[in-house]
Coordinates of all heavy atoms in Angstrom, one line a residue:
M68 N 35.7 21.6 31.5 CA 35.2 20.2 31.5 C 36.5 19.3 31.4 O 37.4 19.6 30.5 CB 34.4 20.0 30.3 CG 33.1 19.2 30.6 SD 32.1 18.8 29.3 CE 31.5 20.4 28.6
P69 N 36.7 18.4 32.2 CA 37.8 17.6 32.2 C 37.9 16.6 31.0 O 36.8 16.2 30.5 CB 37.9 16.7 33.5 CG 36.4 16.9 33.9 CD 35.8 18.0 33.3
T70 N 39.0 16.1 30.6 CA 39.2 15.3 29.6 C 39.5 13.9 30.2 O 40.3 13.7 31.0 CB 40.5 15.6 28.7 OG1 40.2 17.0 28.2 CG2 40.7 14.7 27.5
Y71 N 38.8 12.9 29.6 CA 38.9 11.5 30.1 C 39.5 10.6 29.0 O 39.1 10.8 27.8 CB 37.6 10.9 30.5 CG 37.0 11.7 31.8 CD1 36.2 12.6 31.6 CD2 37.4 11.3 33.0 CE1 35.6 13.3 32.7 CE2 36.9 12.0 34.1 CZ 36.0 12.9 34.0 OH 35.5 13.6 35.1
V72 N 40.4 9.8 29.3 CA 41.0 8.9 28.3 C 40.5 7.6 28.4 O 40.1 7.0 29.6 CB 42.6 8.8 28.6 CG1 43.1 7.9 27.6 CG2 43.2 10.2 28.4
F73 N 40.1 6.9 27.3 CA 39.5 5.7 27.3 C 40.3 4.6 26.5 O 41.0 5.0 25.5 CB 38.0 5.8 26.6 CG 37.0 6.5 27.4 CD1 36.9 8.0 27.2 CD2 36.3 5.9 28.3 CE1 36.1 8.7 28.0 CE2 35.3 6.7 29.1 CZ 35.2 8.1 28.9
R74 N 40.3 3.4 27.0 CA 41.1 2.4 26.3 C 40.2 1.3 26.0 O 39.4 0.7 26.8 CB 42.2 1.9 27.1 CG 43.0 0.8 26.5 CD 44.2 0.4 27.3 NE 45.2 1.4 27.2 CZ 46.3 1.4 27.8 NH1 46.7 0.5 28.7 NH2 47.2 2.4 27.6
C75 N 40.3 0.8 24.8 CA 39.5 -0.3 24.3 C 40.1 -1.6 24.6 O 41.4 -1.7 24.6 CB 39.3 -0.2 22.8 SG 38.4 -1.6 22.0
G76 N 39.5 -2.6 24.8 CA 40.0 -3.9 25.2 C 40.6 -4.7 24.0 O 41.1 -5.7 24.2
R77 N 40.3 -4.2 22.8 CA 40.7 -5.0 21.6 C 42.1 -4.4 21.0 O 42.3 -4.7 19.8 CB 39.5 -4.9 20.6 CG 38.3 -5.5 21.1 CD 37.2 -5.4 20.0 NE 36.0 -5.9 20.7 CZ 34.8 -5.8 20.0 NH1 34.7 -5.2 18.8 NH2 33.7 -6.3 20.6
G78 N 42.7 -3.6 21.6 CA 44.1 -3.2 21.1 C 43.9 -1.9 20.3 O 44.9 -1.5 19.7
C79 N 42.8 -1.2 20.3 CA 42.7 0.0 19.5 C 43.5 1.1 20.3 O 43.7 0.9 21.5 CB 41.2 0.4 19.4 SG 40.2 -0.8 18.6
P80 N 43.9 2.2 19.6 CA 44.6 3.3 20.3 C 43.6 4.0 21.3 O 42.4 4.0 21.1 CB 45.0 4.2 19.2 CG 44.2 3.9 18.0 CD 43.8 2.5 18.2
D81 N 44.2 4.6 22.3 CA 43.5 5.2 23.4 C 42.9 6.5 22.7 O 43.4 7.1 21.7 CB 44.4 5.7 24.4 CG 44.9 4.5 25.3 OD1 44.4 3.4 25.0 OD2 45.7 4.8 26.2
F82 N 41.8 6.9 23.2 CA 41.1 8.1 22.8 C 40.6 8.9 23.9 O 40.4 8.4 25.0 CB 40.0 7.8 21.8 CG 38.9 7.0 22.3 CD1 37.7 7.6 22.8 CD2 39.0 5.6 22.3 CE1 36.7 6.9 23.3 CE2 38.0 4.9 22.9 CZ 36.8 5.5 23.4
A83 N 40.4 10.2 23.7 CA 40.1 11.1 24.8 C 38.7 11.8 24.4 O 38.4 12.1 23.3 CB 41.1 12.2 25.0
E84 N 37.9 11.9 25.5 CA 36.6 12.6 25.3 C 36.5 13.6 26.5 O 37.0 13.3 27.7 CB 35.4 11.6 25.4 CG 35.4 10.8 24.1 CD 34.2 9.8 24.1 OE1 33.5 9.7 25.1 OE2 34.0 9.2 23.0
Q85 N 35.7 14.6 26.3 CA 35.4 15.5 27.4 C 34.1 15.3 27.9 O 33.1 15.2 27.1 CB 35.7 17.0 26.9 CG 37.1 17.3 26.6 CD 37.2 18.8 26.4 OE1 36.2 19.5 26.1 NE2 38.4 19.3 26.7
H86 N 34.0 15.1 29.2 CA 32.6 15.0 29.8 C 32.7 15.8 31.2 O 33.8 16.1 31.7 CB 32.4 13.6 30.2 CG 32.3 12.6 29.0 ND1 31.1 12.4 28.4 CD2 33.3 11.8 28.5 CE1 31.4 11.6 27.4 NE2 32.7 11.1 27.5
S87 N 31.5 16.2 31.6 CA 31.4 16.8 32.9 C 31.7 15.8 34.0 O 31.5 14.6 33.7 CB 30.1 17.5 33.1 OG 29.1 16.6 33.2
M88 N 32.2 16.3 35.1 CA 32.5 15.3 36.2 C 31.3 14.5 36.6 O 31.4 13.4 37.0 CB 33.1 16.1 37.3 CG 34.6 16.6 36.9 SD 35.3 17.6 38.3 CE 35.8 16.3 39.4
A89 N 30.0 15.1 36.5 CA 28.9 14.5 37.0 C 28.5 13.4 36.0 O 27.7 12.4 36.5 CB 27.8 15.5 37.3
T90 N 28.8 13.6 34.7 CA 28.2 12.7 33.7 C 29.3 11.8 33.0 O 29.1 11.3 32.0 CB 27.5 13.4 32.7 OG1 28.4 14.4 32.0 CG2 26.3 14.2 33.3
A91 N 30.5 11.8 33.6 CA 31.6 11.0 33.0 C 31.3 9.6 33.1 O 31.0 9.0 34.1 CB 32.9 11.3 33.8
P92 N 31.2 8.8 31.9 CA 30.8 7.4 31.8 C 32.0 6.5 32.2 O 33.2 6.9 32.0 CB 30.3 7.2 30.5 CG 31.1 8.2 29.6 CD 31.3 9.4 30.5
A93 N 31.8 5.4 32.8 CA 32.8 4.5 33.1 C 33.3 3.8 31.8 O 34.4 3.4 31.7 CB 32.2 3.4 34.1
D94 N 32.5 3.6 30.8 CA 32.9 3.0 29.5 C 32.0 3.7 28.4 O 30.9 4.3 28.7 CB 32.6 1.5 29.5 CG 31.4 1.1 30.0 OD1 30.4 1.9 30.2 OD2 31.2 -0.2 30.2
T95 N 32.5 3.7 27.2 CA 32.0 4.4 26.1 C 32.3 3.6 24.9 O 33.2 2.8 24.9 CB 32.4 5.8 26.1 OG1 31.8 6.5 25.0 CG2 34.0 5.9 25.7
P96 N 31.5 3.7 23.8 CA 31.8 2.9 22.6 C 33.2 3.4 22.0 O 33.4 4.6 21.9 CB 30.7 3.3 21.7 CG 29.6 3.7 22.5 CD 30.2 4.4 23.8
C97 N 33.9 2.5 21.5 CA 35.2 2.7 20.9 C 35.0 3.3 19.5 O 34.1 2.8 18.7 CB 36.0 1.5 20.8 SG 37.5 1.6 19.8
P98 N 35.6 4.4 19.1 CA 35.4 5.0 17.8 C 35.9 4.1 16.6 O 35.5 4.3 15.5 CB 36.0 6.3 17.8 CG 37.0 6.2 18.9 CD 36.6 5.2 19.8
S99 N 36.9 3.2 17.0 CA 37.4 2.3 15.9 C 36.6 1.1 15.6 O 36.3 0.8 14.5 CB 39.0 2.1 16.3 OG 39.6 3.2 16.5
C100 N 36.3 0.4 16.8 CA 35.6 -0.9 16.5 C 34.3 -1.0 17.1 O 33.7 -2.0 17.1 CB 36.6 -2.0 17.2 SG 36.6 -2.0 18.9
S101 N 33.8 0.1 17.7 CA 32.5 0.2 18.4 C 32.4 -0.7 19.5 O 31.2 -1.0 20.0 CB 31.4 -0.1 17.4 OG 31.4 0.8 16.4
G102 N 33.5 -1.3 20.0 CA 33.4 -2.1 21.3 C 33.4 -1.2 22.4 O 33.4 0.1 22.4
Q103 N 33.3 -1.8 23.6 CA 33.3 -1.0 24.9 C 34.7 -0.6 25.3 O 35.6 -1.4 25.4 CB 32.7 -1.8 26.0 CG 31.1 -2.0 25.9 CD 30.5 -0.6 26.0 OE1 30.9 0.3 26.8 NE2 29.5 -0.3 25.1
A104 N 34.9 0.7 25.5 CA 36.3 1.1 26.0 C 36.1 1.7 27.4 O 35.1 2.4 27.7 CB 36.7 2.3 25.1
R105 N 37.0 1.2 28.3 CA 36.8 1.6 29.7 C 37.7 2.8 30.0 O 38.7 3.2 29.3 CB 37.5 0.5 30.5 CG 36.7 -0.8 30.4 CD 36.0 -1.4 31.4 NE 36.2 -0.9 32.8 CZ 35.2 -0.6 33.6 NH1 33.9 -0.9 33.2 NH2 35.4 -0.2 34.9
R106 N 37.1 3.7 30.8 CA 37.8 4.9 31.2 C 39.1 4.5 32.0 O 39.0 3.7 32.9 CB 36.9 5.7 32.1 CG 37.5 7.1 32.4 CD 36.4 8.0 33.1 NE 36.3 7.5 34.5 CZ 35.3 7.8 35.2 NH1 34.3 8.4 34.7 NH2 35.2 7.4 36.5
R107 N 40.2 5.2 31.7 CA 41.4 4.9 32.4 C 41.7 6.0 33.5 O 41.2 7.0 33.4 CB 42.6 5.1 31.5 CG 42.6 4.0 30.4 CD 43.8 4.1 29.5 NE 45.0 4.0 30.2 CZ 46.1 4.5 29.9 NH1 46.3 5.0 28.8 NH2 47.2 4.2 30.6
I108 N 42.4 5.6 34.5 CA 42.8 6.6 35.5 C 44.2 7.1 35.3 O 45.0 6.3 35.1 CB 42.7 5.9 36.9 CG1 41.2 5.4 37.1 CG2 43.2 6.9 38.0 CD1 40.8 5.3 38.5
G109 N 44.3 8.4 35.0 CA 45.6 8.9 34.7 C 45.8 10.2 35.6 O 45.0 10.6 36.4
A110 N 47.0 10.7 35.3 CA 47.5 11.9 36.1 C 46.8 13.1 35.7 O 46.6 13.2 34.4 CB 49.0 12.0 36.1
P111 N 46.3 14.1 36.5 CA 45.7 15.2 36.0 C 46.8 16.1 35.3 O 47.9 16.1 35.7 CB 45.3 15.9 37.3 CG 46.1 15.3 38.4 CD 46.4 13.9 37.9
A112 N 46.3 16.8 34.4 CA 47.2 17.6 33.5 C 47.2 19.0 34.1 O 46.7 20.0 33.6 CB 46.6 17.7 32.1
L113 N 47.9 19.1 35.3 CA 47.9 20.4 36.0 C 48.8 21.4 35.5 O 48.6 22.6 35.5 CB 48.3 20.2 37.5 CG 47.3 19.3 38.3 CD1 47.8 19.0 39.7 CD2 46.0 19.9 38.4
G114 N 50.0 20.9 34.9 CA 51.0 21.9 34.4 C 50.9 22.1 32.9 O 51.7 22.7 32.3
V115 N 49.7 21.6 32.3 CA 49.5 21.9 30.9 C 48.6 23.0 30.7 O 47.7 23.4 31.4 CB 49.0 20.6 30.3 CG1 48.7 20.8 28.8 CG2 49.8 19.4 30.6
G116 N 49.0 23.8 29.6 CA 48.1 24.9 29.2 C 48.8 26.1 29.5 O 49.8 26.3 30.0
N117 N 48.0 27.2 29.0 CA 48.5 28.6 29.2 C 47.4 29.4 29.9 O 47.1 30.4 29.4 CB 48.8 29.1 27.8 CG 49.6 30.4 27.9 OD1 50.2 30.7 28.9 ND2 49.8 31.1 26.7
S118 N 47.0 28.9 30.9 CA 45.9 29.6 31.6 C 46.5 30.8 32.4 O 47.7 30.8 32.7 CB 45.2 28.6 32.5 OG 46.0 28.2 33.5
T119 N 45.6 31.6 32.9 CA 46.0 32.7 33.6 C 46.6 32.2 35.0 O 47.6 32.8 35.5 CB 44.8 33.6 33.9 OG1 44.4 34.0 32.6 CG2 45.3 34.8 34.7
G120 N 46.0 31.2 35.6 CA 46.4 30.7 36.8 C 47.8 30.1 36.7 O 48.7 30.3 37.7
M121 N 48.1 29.4 35.6 CA 49.5 28.9 35.5 C 50.5 29.9 35.3 O 51.6 30.0 35.8 CB 49.6 27.9 34.3 CG 48.9 26.6 34.5 SD 49.6 25.7 35.9 CE 51.2 25.6 35.4
R122 N 50.2 31.0 34.6 CA 51.1 32.2 34.4 C 51.3 32.9 35.7 O 52.5 33.3 36.1 CB 50.6 33.2 33.4 CG 50.9 32.8 31.9 CD 50.4 33.8 31.0 NE 49.0 33.3 30.6 CZ 48.0 34.2 30.4 NH1 48.1 35.4 30.5 NH2 46.8 33.7 30.0
V123 N 50.3 33.0 36.5 CA 50.5 33.7 37.9 C 51.4 32.7 38.8 O 52.3 33.2 39.5 CB 49.2 33.9 38.5 CG1 49.3 34.3 40.1 CG2 48.5 35.0 37.9
Q124 N 51.2 31.4 38.7 CA 52.0 30.5 39.5 C 53.5 30.5 39.0 O 54.5 30.6 39.9 CB 51.4 29.1 39.3 CG 52.0 28.1 40.3 CD 51.3 26.8 40.3 OE1 50.8 26.4 39.3 NE2 51.3 26.1 41.4
D125 N 53.7 30.6 37.7 CA 55.0 30.6 37.2 C 55.7 31.9 37.6 O 56.9 31.9 38.0 CB 55.0 30.4 35.8 CG 54.7 29.0 35.3 OD1 54.7 28.1 36.1 OD2 54.3 28.9 34.0
A126 N 55.0 33.1 37.6 CA 55.6 34.3 37.9 C 55.9 34.3 39.4 O 57.0 34.8 39.7 CB 54.7 35.4 37.6
T127 N 55.1 33.8 40.2 CA 55.4 33.7 41.7 C 56.5 32.9 42.0 O 57.4 33.2 42.8 CB 54.1 33.1 42.4 OG1 53.0 34.0 42.1 CG2 54.2 33.2 43.9
R128 N 56.6 31.6 41.3 CA 57.8 30.8 41.5 C 59.1 31.5 41.1 O 60.2 31.4 41.6 CB 57.5 29.5 40.7 CG 58.5 28.5 41.0 CD 58.3 27.2 40.4 NE 57.0 26.7 40.5 CZ 56.1 26.3 39.6 NH1 56.5 26.2 38.3 NH2 55.0 25.8 39.9
A129 N 59.0 32.2 40.0 CA 60.2 32.9 39.4 C 60.7 34.0 40.4 O 61.9 34.1 40.6 CB 60.0 33.4 38.0
T130 N 59.8 34.7 41.0 CA 60.1 35.7 41.9 C 60.7 35.1 43.2 O 61.6 35.7 43.7 CB 58.7 36.4 42.4 OG1 58.2 37.0 41.2 CG2 59.1 37.5 43.4
A131 N 60.3 34.0 43.7 CA 60.8 33.3 44.9 C 62.2 32.8 44.6 O 63.1 32.9 45.4 CB 59.9 32.3 45.4
D132 N 62.4 32.2 43.3 CA 63.7 31.6 43.1 C 64.7 32.6 42.6 O 65.9 32.5 42.9 CB 63.5 30.5 42.0 CG 62.6 29.4 42.5 OD1 62.5 29.2 43.7 OD2 62.2 28.5 41.7
S133 N 64.4 33.5 41.8 CA 65.3 34.5 41.3 C 64.7 35.8 41.3 O 64.0 36.3 40.3 CB 65.7 34.2 39.9 OG 64.6 34.1 39.0
P134 N 64.8 36.6 42.4 CA 64.2 37.9 42.5 C 64.9 38.9 41.5 O 66.0 38.7 41.1 CB 64.4 38.4 43.8 CG 65.5 37.5 44.4 CD 65.4 36.2 43.6
D135 N 64.2 39.8 41.2 CA 64.7 41.0 40.3 C 65.8 41.5 40.9 O 65.9 41.8 42.1 CB 63.6 41.9 40.0 CG 62.6 41.3 39.0 OD1 62.8 40.4 38.4 OD2 61.5 41.9 39.1
V136 N 67.0 42.0 40.2 CA 68.1 42.6 40.6 C 67.7 44.1 40.8 O 67.2 44.8 39.8 CB 69.3 42.4 39.7 CG1 70.5 43.3 40.1 CG2 69.6 40.9 39.6
V137 N 68.0 44.7 41.9 CA 67.8 46.1 42.1 C 69.1 46.8 41.9 O 70.2 46.5 42.7 CB 67.3 46.4 43.5 CG1 67.1 47.8 43.9 CG2 65.9 45.6 43.7
R138 N 69.3 47.8 41.1 CA 70.5 48.4 40.9 C 70.7 49.7 41.8 O 71.8 50.2 42.0 CB 70.6 48.9 39.5 CG 70.5 47.7 38.5 CD 70.8 48.2 37.2 NE 70.7 47.0 36.1 CZ 71.5 46.0 36.0 NH1 72.6 45.9 36.7 NH2 71.2 45.1 35.2
S139 N 69.7 50.2 42.4 CA 69.7 51.3 43.2 C 68.6 51.3 44.2 O 67.5 50.6 43.9 CB 69.7 52.6 42.4 OG 68.5 52.8 41.8
P140 N 68.8 51.9 45.4 CA 67.6 51.9 46.3 C 66.4 52.7 45.8 O 66.6 53.6 44.9 CB 68.2 52.6 47.6 CG 69.4 53.3 47.1 CD 69.9 52.6 45.9
P141 N 65.3 52.3 46.1 CA 64.2 53.0 45.7 C 64.2 54.5 46.1 O 64.7 54.9 47.1 CB 63.0 52.3 46.4 CG 63.5 51.6 47.5 CD 65.0 51.2 47.1
G142 N 63.7 55.3 45.2 CA 63.8 56.8 45.5 C 62.8 57.2 46.6 O 61.9 56.6 46.9
S143 N 63.4 58.2 47.4 CA 62.5 58.6 48.5 C 61.7 59.7 48.0 O 62.1 60.8 47.5 CB 63.5 59.2 49.6 OG 64.2 60.3 49.3
R144 N 60.4 59.6 48.2 CA 59.5 60.6 47.9 C 59.0 61.4 49.1 O 59.0 60.8 50.3 CB 58.2 59.9 47.2 CG 58.6 59.3 45.9 CD 57.3 58.7 45.4 NE 57.6 57.7 44.3 CZ 56.8 56.7 44.0 NH1 55.7 56.6 44.5 NH2 57.2 55.9 43.1
R145 N 58.7 62.5 48.8 CA 58.3 63.4 50.0 C 56.8 63.0 50.2 O 56.0 62.9 49.4 CB 58.3 64.8 49.7 CG 59.4 65.6 50.3 CD 59.2 67.1 50.0 NE 58.7 67.8 51.2 CZ 59.6 68.4 52.1 NH1 60.8 68.5 51.8 NH2 59.0 69.0 53.0
R146 N 56.5 62.7 51.5 CA 55.2 62.3 51.8 C 54.4 63.5 52.1 O 54.9 64.5 52.6 CB 55.2 61.4 53.1 CG 55.8 60.0 52.8 CD 55.6 59.2 54.0 NE 56.6 58.2 54.0 CZ 56.8 57.5 55.2 NH1 56.2 57.7 56.3 NH2 57.7 56.5 55.1
A147 N 53.0 63.4 51.9 CA 52.3 64.5 52.4 C 52.2 64.5 53.8 O 52.3 63.5 54.5 CB 50.9 64.1 51.8
P148 N 52.0 65.7 54.4 CA 52.1 65.8 55.9 C 50.8 65.0 56.4 O 49.8 65.0 55.9 CB 52.0 67.3 56.2 CG 51.5 67.9 54.9 CD 51.9 67.0 53.7
L149 N 51.1 64.4 57.6 CA 50.1 63.6 58.2 C 49.0 64.4 58.8 O 47.8 64.0 59.0 CB 50.6 62.6 59.2 CG 51.6 61.6 58.7 CD1 52.1 60.7 59.9 CD2 50.9 60.7 57.7
T150 N 49.4 65.6 59.2 CA 48.4 66.4 59.9 C 48.6 67.9 59.4 O 49.7 68.3 59.0 CB 48.6 66.4 61.4 OG1 47.7 67.3 62.1 CG2 50.1 66.7 61.8
A151 N 47.5 68.6 59.6 CA 47.5 70.0 59.1 C 47.8 71.0 60.3 O 47.8 72.2 60.1 CB 46.3 70.4 58.3
N152 N 47.8 70.5 61.5 CA 47.9 71.4 62.6 C 49.3 71.9 62.7 O 50.4 71.2 62.8 CB 47.6 70.5 63.9 CG 47.6 71.4 65.1 OD1 48.1 72.4 65.3 ND2 46.9 70.7 66.1
P153 N 49.5 73.2 62.8 CA 50.8 73.8 62.7 C 51.6 73.5 64.0 O 52.8 73.5 64.0 CB 50.6 75.4 62.5 CG 49.1 75.6 62.9 CD 48.4 74.2 62.6
L154 N 51.0 73.2 65.1 CA 51.7 72.8 66.3 C 52.5 71.5 66.2 O 53.5 71.3 66.9 CB 50.7 72.8 67.6 CG 50.1 74.2 67.9 CD1 49.2 74.0 69.0 CD2 51.2 75.2 68.2
H155 N 52.0 70.7 65.4 CA 52.6 69.4 65.2 C 54.0 69.6 64.5 O 54.9 68.7 64.6 CB 51.7 68.4 64.4 CG 50.5 68.0 65.2 ND1 49.5 67.4 64.6 CD2 50.2 68.1 66.5 CE1 48.5 67.1 65.5 NE2 48.9 67.7 66.7
R156 N 54.3 70.6 63.8 CA 55.6 70.8 63.2 C 56.7 71.0 64.2 O 57.8 70.8 63.9 CB 55.5 72.1 62.3 CG 54.7 71.9 61.0 CD 54.7 73.1 60.1 NE 53.5 73.1 59.3 CZ 52.9 74.2 58.9 NH1 53.4 75.3 59.3 NH2 51.9 74.1 58.1
K157 N 56.3 71.4 65.4 CA 57.4 71.6 66.4 C 57.7 70.3 67.2 O 58.7 70.3 67.9 CB 56.8 72.7 67.5 CG 56.6 74.0 66.9 CD 56.1 75.0 67.9 CE 55.9 76.3 67.2 NZ 55.4 77.4 68.1
L158 N 57.0 69.3 66.9 CA 57.3 68.0 67.7 C 58.6 67.4 67.0 O 58.9 67.7 65.9 CB 56.2 67.0 67.4 CG 54.8 67.4 68.1 CD1 53.7 66.4 67.6 CD2 54.9 67.3 69.6
P159 N 59.3 66.8 67.9 CA 60.6 66.2 67.4 C 60.3 65.2 66.3 O 59.4 64.4 66.3 CB 61.1 65.5 68.6 CG 60.0 65.3 69.7 CD 59.0 66.4 69.3
R160 N 61.2 65.1 65.4 CA 61.2 64.2 64.3 C 61.9 62.9 64.6 O 62.9 62.9 65.4 CB 61.9 64.7 63.1 CG 61.4 66.1 62.7 CD 60.5 66.0 61.5 NE 59.9 67.3 61.3 CZ 58.8 67.5 60.7 NH1 58.1 66.5 60.3 NH2 58.2 68.7 60.5
P161 N 61.4 61.8 64.1 CA 62.1 60.6 64.4 C 63.4 60.5 63.7 O 63.7 61.0 62.7 CB 61.1 59.5 63.8 CG 60.2 60.2 63.0 CD 60.2 61.7 63.3
Ligands
LIG69 ZN1 38.3 -0.5 19.8

C-alpha cells in the first residue's frame, strides 16, 4: 500500500497515511487541528527500503560496474560423451 503525505493549511506538520491507490482520499482530517489536510504530490520512494527487488537491482548494478576479479581461468571439466555410438569416436575432433 503506498504512503501518501498530507499537509494541513493551518501550518501543522505534514503527516503520512497509507491508503490503497483506489481509495486514496484527496483530503483527510488533520490529526493536530482536525482541519482539512490536502494530499501532496511527492516523489515516489523507489530507492528506499530493503526489499528483494532493490537487493537484486543493486547486485546487478554492482556486477555491471565492477565485475568480480577472476584469478584463474575456470577449470576444464571432462564432459560426458555426446553419443554412445563407438563409430563416432573415430570422427575428427575439433
Ligand atoms: Zn492541522
Side-chain angles (χ1 to χ4, degrees):
M68 228 183 295
T70 301
Y71 295 94
V72 177
F73 294 89
R74 176 174 287 175
C75 176
R77 299 180 185 171
C79 302
D81 293 353
F82 60 96
E84 292 181 354
Q85 289 189 339
H86 297 277
S87 70
M88 292 176 74
T90 63
D94 49 10
T95 187
C97 174
S99 301
C100 68
S101 300
Q103 285 297 319
R105 301 241 350 132
R106 188 175 73 201
R107 297 184 57 202
I108 299 204
L113 297 177
V115 178
N117 192 15
S118 68
T119 303
M121 284 303 300
R122 277 183 267 142
V123 168
Q124 192 175 26
D125 289 343
T127 303
R128 189 179 307 131
T130 302
D132 293 343
S133 57
D135 290 338
V136 175
V137 177
R138 299 190 189 284
S139 63
S143 62
R144 295 183 198 157
R145 255 189 106 96
R146 291 187 204 163
L149 298 177
T150 175
N152 188 337
L154 294 176
H155 291 168
R156 289 184 201 144
K157 296 180 180 176
L158 292 174
R160 305 258 174 206

